[in-house]
Amino acid sequence: MKTNLAPRLADSARWMQTLSAGERQRCAIARLLLISPDVILIEDALSACDAAGQEALTRLVFARCESSIIVDVSNRSAPAEL
């Protein structure tokens, strides 16, 4: 896994080919947190992340987007405390 992409932010690389599936999913979650839309529809958005990463990111989305309507459809079990 790539750990430090900050020096490459100015690159015009094809990021869809450069980043792993999990990295692309985490970037999508970061965009979601920045935008904080009124309605969030998530369908297996974290399938490429490990179980601990899925739970942590799901908790983060629910905590940071508490005023959003969130519909999360996935094949993983939801954390018990959401």
Side-chain angles (χ1 to χ4, degrees):
M1 177 177 6
K2 294 153 190 69
T3 56
N4 189 0
L5 297 172
R8 297 190 55 204
L9 288 176
D11 290 0
S12 60
R14 294 180 181 240
W15 290 104
M16 291 299 289
Q17 296 171 351
T18 303
L19 301 176
S20 71
E23 289 169 328
R24 289 192 308 267
Q25 288 179 341
R26 289 189 295 277
C27 284
I29 295 297
R31 283 193 302 264
L32 175 81
L33 295 174
L34 288 171
I35 296 168
S36 191
D38 293 334
V39 178
I40 300 170
L41 302 173
I42 302 171
E43 182 182 0
D44 273 335
L46 302 171
S47 59
C49 298
D50 62 18
Q54 288 180 3
E55 182 170 344
L57 288 170
T58 299
R59 288 180 186 281
L60 183 63
V61 169
F62 276 80
R64 296 273 179 93
C65 299
E66 61 187 354
S67 64
S68 300
I69 296 170
I70 302 172
V71 178
D72 184 5
V73 179
S74 66
N75 292 319
R76 60 182 161 70
S77 58
E81 298 170 10
L82 286 180

